Amino acid sequence: MERLPGWVRRHLAALRALLVLTLVLGVVYPLAVTGLAQVLLNHRANGSPLFRDGHEVGSELIGQSFTGRDGAPAGRYFQSRPSAAGDGYDPLASGASNLGPEDVLDVLPRSGARPDTGRQSLLTRVCARSKAVGQLEGVGGGRPYCTVDGVGAVLKVFPVTGTPERVVSANQACPARPFLATYRGVTVECARPGEDLSAGRTVPVRGTAVAVVPADAVTASGSGLDPHISVAYAELQAPRVARERGLGVARVRELIGEHTTGRDLGFMGEPVVDVLELNLALDRG
């Protein structure tokens, strides 16, 4: 070995280090960690699965939809918060919509084009979800800055300065009836699909509606996988679930309490309800 050239010895030393580190860090360490996790934290290490009648139906860590064959919310079950992860709650596409509070203008599809060629703003998504939840739960689904038909209440005013000459309800495509008849003495028009309104001044209009539907019912979580809803959203759904199942509301609220997790460390965050666990408890009776 000593007679080998220096560059050969250096390469052999590097190869030995590679083999040793591969064995220790690529084989021994992962096996040790996996083995300890299986022994000490078996349930968590395997994804915190939940079962019904011996069959795995989901994870207590990942949300899921509770819908019927037609894709509509199943009345017998509590509904999860919205998800922006893929087609919904997809662990391989975890993430948010990345739309911020200033995203208030829809992109309306051109006349005759497919509806999916347009894009809803975050404001309109919130308005549409709030309206849908209100209809499902039999409560008012209105919110400030939302129109009655469930889109963002936003005007485009021309010219940008001075007296308005033209005012357009930017998110209400013709032939919709604008949510305001006039603005500063000017008749409000519906938006012509495909029209470029970027030159106008954006004016969100706050209405008089008071939000009854909780915020987590109309906004997706950062991961898109959140399995929890707020206690307020669970309480809102309780009468509907009780009615659909022929149960007393008091019994449903009791189950909500049993599946409510308190604040982390006693002071971080808010109490939350695991939707899948609660629905499984309902099915067990």
Side-chain angles (χ1 to χ4, degrees), residues 143-169:
R143 306 183 84 81
Y145 299 105
C146 293
T147 68
V148 175
D149 52 347
V151 299
V154 180
L155 301 177
K156 273 292 189 175
V157 180
F158 304 86
V160 175
T161 60
T163 303
E165 296 176 357
R166 180 174 179 239
V167 182
V168 180
S169 178

Side-chain angles (χ1 to χ4, degrees), residues 108-110 158 166 168 189-198:
L108 302 177
R110 295 183 178 276
F158 304 86
R166 180 174 179 239
V168 180
E189 307 172 16
C190 55
R192 303 168 194 162
E195 180 182 10
D196 183 5
L197 300 174
S198 59

Side-chain angles (χ1 to χ4, degrees), residues 175-243:
R177 181 179 180 181
F179 68 97
L180 279 183
T182 62
Y183 176 78
R184 294 188 179 180
V186 178
T187 300
V188 179
E189 307 172 16
C190 55
R192 303 168 194 162
E195 180 182 10
D196 183 5
L197 300 174
S198 59
R201 176 165 57 95
T202 303
V203 182
V205 178
R206 182 184 178 93
T208 59
V210 177
V212 175
V213 178
D216 62 305
V218 298
T219 55
S221 65
S223 68
L225 307 178
D226 192 352
H228 302 106
I229 58 175
S230 66
V231 176
Y233 188 24
E235 291 283 354
L236 180 69
Q237 300 184 65
R240 185 243 314 153
V241 173
R243 182 176 62 253

